[in-house]
Amino acid sequence: MTLEKRTHIANKTIQICGSKSISNRLLILNALFQNVKINNLSDSQDTRLLQEALASDSEIIDINHAGTAMRFLTSYFAIQPGKDVVLTGSERMKQRPIGFLVDALRDLGAEIEYLGNKGFPPLKIRGKNIVKSNVKIPADVSSQFITSLIFIGAKLPNGLNIELSGKITSRPYIDMTLQILKIIGIETEFSGNRISIKNHTFDDKKSNIFHYVVESDWSSASYFYSLSAISRKNISLKSFNNHSYQGDSALKEIYWECFGVNTVTDIQEHTISLFPETFIYPDSIKLNMNDCPDIAQTVCVTATALKVPFELTGLATLKVKETDRLLALQNELKKIGCETEISDDAIKSVNFTDPDENIVIKTYHDHRMAMSFAPFSLIQNLEIEDETVVEKSYPKFWEDFNEVTEPIN
């Protein structure tokens, strides 16, 4: 896709679909308890793939690139007595580690074997009744491993106690999971590095139907924060809550403190409006993004467009996403005029240069690479390779992007 140099059209309102993170959690909970009715479900490819997997009677479940589905379904199928499945995915998925989650489930008594490389999908899972109630897992791996275990806790006869070892990564996502469980009546406790989930049964599911309206996705909102910061024009986004359990809602503070974009919330309309204000940019942006790594790409592109030096840390999980996002960022930021240094968990700008004359952004099969670099078209023409990758999390992205921007004639 070629994006000619564009301008941002002010005073537009965009309806962003439901959060993929919340939607996928609710789908698993409904599969476990059959009493959750979901409104504003995400229309992302990941959510659709999870729905199809939960409804499938096949012995082979292929979730393609959907990492969330891989992790959540591993625990889900492990506690389905009499159900044998092979859980597999794309070639990239077969390179994404899942060993810590499998080890934890095996410690509980699950029967899971690797069909390829040890520690990686595909997995052969033989569902069974699990009675053990104590497990330990590293806290500095994907929070989705921990969430996956939390889900099954309330279905185990003795509940589940999870001990987290080390520093917790992406804690807001764990808090989000526990809050959703609390809303549907499941008792949990998170104290120090220990999570406890009590066994729960609904005696009468029909009288315990929970209607849940999914808040829109904050990571999807990040690309419009970037547009607003670069253009210095306002935009409104729906449907967002004043207080959110999504870790990526840190956008509000980050874009205010770093780029001078003020977020004004209309509580009754569930709308946020972004208003860039007169602002003196900091000499350097230094952020620990351990709690919100998925918006790091957007922040890097925004800072590059505005020539604001940056150093982002807490990004260890980016190396095992759809691609090695730190390496991908380093490669593509150079094309738009930013040379960087990267380590295992950080990226730092070292020099700003003139962008390439002909910018071609590789996406590496990563939806966030396509969407985070799109706002740079406010600065210069650019081409996005494989623009369809946005279907993974935000199928309507290009439609919405074209609604609020237009080429400069």
Side-chain angles (χ1 to χ4, degrees), residues 22-39:
I22 296 175
S23 295
N24 291 348
R25 284 161 169 76
L26 292 170
L27 287 173
I28 290 290
L29 286 174
N30 187 54
L32 290 168
F33 297 103
Q34 291 89 45
N35 65 341
V36 183
K37 303 300 181 184
I38 311 168
N39 295 314

Side-chain angles (χ1 to χ4, degrees), residues 247-296:
D248 291 339
S249 64
L251 275 168
K252 292 184 291 186
E253 288 73 30
I254 290 173
Y255 271 76
W256 169 242
E257 295 172 3
C258 300
F259 305 116
V261 177
N262 189 20
T263 303
V264 177
T265 305
D266 184 325
I267 297 175
Q268 289 187 333
E269 295 295 326
H270 298 285
T271 300
I272 56 173
S273 296
L274 317 184
F275 293 99
E277 300 190 358
T278 302
F279 186 69
I280 299 175
Y281 297 111
D283 293 333
S284 179
I285 295 169
K286 293 187 178 181
L287 296 170
N288 184 327
M289 304 192 75
N290 183 70
D291 287 344
C292 52
D294 281 346
I295 59 175

Side-chain angles (χ1 to χ4, degrees), residues 75 101 104-105 135 137 145-153 160 162:
S75 298
L101 176 58
L105 288 166
V135 71
I137 190 169
F145 292 174
I146 300 164
T147 285
S148 183
L149 293 170
I150 289 172
F151 283 139
I152 65 171
L160 185 62
I162 306 171

